[in-house]
Amino acid sequence: MKPRTVPSRWRVAVAAAVAMAAGTSGLVALSGTAGAVGEPVTVQYRTSATGATADQAEPWFKVKNTGAAAIQLSDVKVRYYFKADAGSAGYRFACSWAVKGCANVTGTFGTPAHPTATADRYLDIGFTSGAGSLAPGSDTGDMQLRFYRSDWQPLNQSDDYSFGASQTSYANWPKVTAQWSGSTVWGTAPEGNDPSDPPTDPPTDPPAGGQSLFDDFNYTSSSDPKLSANGWNVRSNAGGPGVPGAAWSPEDVTFATTGGNSAMNLRTSTAGTAESTKQTEVLTKATKFRNGTYAARVKFADTPVSGPDGDHLVQTFFTINDLTAPMADDYSEYDFEYLPNGGWGESSGILYTTSWETYNPDPWQAVNQHTESRQSYDGWHDLVLTIDNSSIKYYIDGQLFGSHDAAYLPERPMSINFNQWLIDLTGQTSTTPRAYDEQVDYVLHVKDQVLTPAQVSAKVNAYRTAGTAFEDTVPTS
């Protein structure tokens, strides 16, 4: 994808590692209809890009507290709906200026539960805790926001649901919605995306049967014979992704008890040189996973466990198979990738979920769809990926994060992978040693069944209640 303009060796190396081993209700589209009277939040909108076509869309907002009590802005989300342009590789969000500070304003792209002719994408505007609170009657002040095509081609605003060409000064705008603490309190969503349209009470009991892989990562070390016997490869072979010349270090994959559960720890360390850089990766030996549900509880980290911060780190949970030829149409990959210190052209923390159709390593050409969020994801998170015959969906902590199209569905089975590595050594140039940890509590795959996040939790709890630390009934063919 365009935001990840990475060297060609990145994809080639990951695919090679896979071949050797074989030898993701705040973001859920629940935006309904609400009026301003008696509600705690109203949204004012204006645009400075009024043309039907423009280099970038510029939705500017003010969020006002019209209730009787103070509200935390971190509990508020504003959703702007638009129609994706044909041939677009994706979109990128930027904040030009905000009274509350651009560092405290986040932008996340997603797909509505029921796309329409004027709304098959949305931009969610959120706030970090640093944005503070709004007293009754006060507003955020100016938020001068923008988004643009990642290939920088002109975008068409004339068919965007939330766009208002005549709105050159701030006024209440009901064609955007606002959620407060998960409930829609302002605006009218595109048809079919009211709160009553998606199920409001998703099932919690997992369906019966289902061939499954579950691992609680209850091992003693990376050399524990059970780890290999249970189908895992702890990588030691050289190559990318990451810093050229860095080593992949099995001894830096360790296991311990955290929060009452066993967990796998992947440590990546460096002293600012390729020779001192050690990266970690654990992946299944078998490439036998395709449609169904993938889930893991992962602890991302914004800061190192020791030494100076700032390295361009990538922390992941993903599935992948090998690229058989440049632009081969049977390649598949589905990623959760967290960059706590930026990288790939980003200056600060960002989380990507990406569905890959194919790529050409040289010259670099990518065919994929992605969703991104520029905010901190430090700490434990429940990551769920579902793949059926119509779409790919990513959930984070029970909330829909991104929904990707049928064009990116897998044609062949894949492996399941976790790795942590450094894009380069330019984020932190110090020669002081430092180390970063990514932890994994469990991993689950259920073949050919799409589970809700609640069903995933119920299934994991059932394994743990029964004392089952490992199960693999997924066939190899």
Side-chain angles (χ1 to χ4, degrees), residues 85-345:
D85 297 292
S88 174
Y91 294 86
R92 305 190 74 177
F93 166 79
C95 172
S96 298
W97 188 78
V99 172
K100 290 291 184 178
C102 281
N104 296 316
V105 180
T106 65
T108 305
F109 294 98
T111 303
H114 302 282
T116 72
T118 61
D120 60 8
R121 295 288 188 275
Y122 61 73
L123 169 65
D124 266 345
I125 304 301
F127 301 89
T128 70
S129 59
S133 62
L134 283 182
S138 65
D139 63 48
T140 58
D142 233 0
M143 292 190 294
Q144 298 181 12
L145 313 178
R146 54 192 172 92
F147 67 91
Y148 51 92
R149 287 177 53 149
S150 57
D151 57 9
W152 273 111
Q153 294 301 305
L155 51 80
N156 177 22
Q157 300 190 96
S158 63
D159 57 357
D160 292 350
Y161 176 86
S162 295
F163 174 64
S166 62
Q167 290 300 119
T168 56
S169 59
Y170 279 113
N172 289 354
W173 192 246
K175 297 193 77 174
V176 298
T177 59
Q179 291 183 349
W180 178 51
S181 298
S183 298
T184 301
V185 294
W186 171 262
T188 302
E191 183 178 1
N193 290 280
D194 292 332
S196 60
D197 293 314
T200 55
D201 296 308
T204 57
D205 294 330
Q211 296 162 315
S212 302
L213 166 70
F214 172 74
D215 203 329
D216 214 11
F217 293 116
N218 190 4
Y219 303 102
T220 58
S221 70
S222 61
S223 59
D224 188 333
K226 290 194 304 179
L227 189 63
S228 180
N230 287 346
W232 294 102
N233 176 55
V234 183
R235 184 178 175 182
S236 61
N237 58 293
V243 175
W248 294 89
S249 175
E251 62 268 23
D252 287 323
V253 177
T254 58
F255 300 87
T257 299
T258 178
N261 297 316
S262 56
M264 175 172 66
N265 191 85
L266 286 75
R267 175 160 294 183
T268 292
S269 60
T270 189
T273 65
E275 295 75 17
S276 66
T277 301
K278 296 181 179 181
Q279 305 174 140
T280 44
E281 180 167 23
V282 177
L283 63 157
T284 60
K285 298 176 183 178
T287 53
K288 63 179 183 178
F289 309 97
R290 190 172 171 180
N291 285 14
T293 300
Y294 300 81
R297 182 164 173 81
V298 176
K299 187 177 184 181
F300 296 130
D302 280 356
T303 56
V305 293
S306 61
D309 194 7
D311 288 290
H312 291 157
L313 185 72
V314 184
Q315 302 174 322
T316 76
F317 166 43
F318 64 104
T319 69
I320 192 174
N321 58 31
D322 60 317
L323 183 73
T324 57
M327 302 302 287
D329 62 4
D330 62 351
Y331 176 75
S332 303
E333 180 182 350
Y334 306 94
D335 303 329
F336 289 92
E337 293 173 309
Y338 182 52
L339 285 61
N341 296 314
W344 292 327

Side-chain angles (χ1 to χ4, degrees), residues 409-427:
L409 292 172
E411 289 86 4
R412 290 189 292 129
M414 301 168 288
S415 65
I416 298 175
N417 304 52
F418 300 90
N419 64 19
Q420 185 181 220
W421 49 281
L422 297 178
I423 298 171
D424 51 44
L425 296 172
T426 63

